[in-house]
Amino acid sequence: MKFESPLERYLFDKYILDVCIATLTQGGVTSKLDTYQFVSPIDAWAIPKYPDQTVILPPNADLQAAVRSFVVQNELYLRMPDYWLGTWIEPETHSCYLDITSLCFCLDDAVQQARALSSSAQRKIVALYDFKRGQAIYI
């Protein structure tokens, strides 16, 4: 990533820390790279757009380094208008998922899209995230 000034670099570093802190305290977060905006509780569901690019980290991973690396590697996607950075800590294994997320505003459509993506991907989508209720929906 290129930064025009030290301030831009510091704001990016702060964003990465904010993502990590929110992930650890809330169990996951969805945010927009170009605005550093976090999704609030809205009536929408998050779907991993490219399941094969999802990174699954073990519980003891260096989350800050992993998020930074994931963002740098996927910057072009994460700057697209309807794509978001998604993080999620799976409650049973405590593994952390990092993915390129899209939002869907109808649950039935979200489930259909997730199943279609899963059928063509090597890595299956295990859950959607319900922003309004703040919980994963396993499929």
Side-chain angles (χ1 to χ4, degrees), residues 11-87:
L11 289 171
F12 175 74
D13 290 343
K14 180 184 179 305
Y15 166 69
I16 296 296
L17 283 173
D18 288 344
V19 167
C20 293
I21 291 166
T23 298
L24 294 173
T25 60
Q26 300 172 28
V29 69
T30 301
S31 62
K32 193 74 179 109
L33 177 60
D34 57 347
T35 63
Y36 301 157
Q37 170 190 3
F38 286 74
V39 175
S40 58
I42 59 172
D43 203 12
W45 293 266
I47 304 167
K49 187 69 177 170
Y50 301 104
D52 293 336
Q53 289 179 253
T54 296
V55 171
I56 303 173
L57 305 169
N60 59 348
D62 181 343
L63 186 58
Q64 182 180 0
V67 169
R68 181 183 312 280
S69 176
F70 186 83
V71 167
V72 168
Q73 290 175 359
N74 294 288
E75 180 181 6
L76 291 176
Y77 291 112
L78 294 171
R79 291 199 184 274
M80 295 177 108
D82 296 325
Y83 293 3
W84 300 70
L85 168 63
T87 67

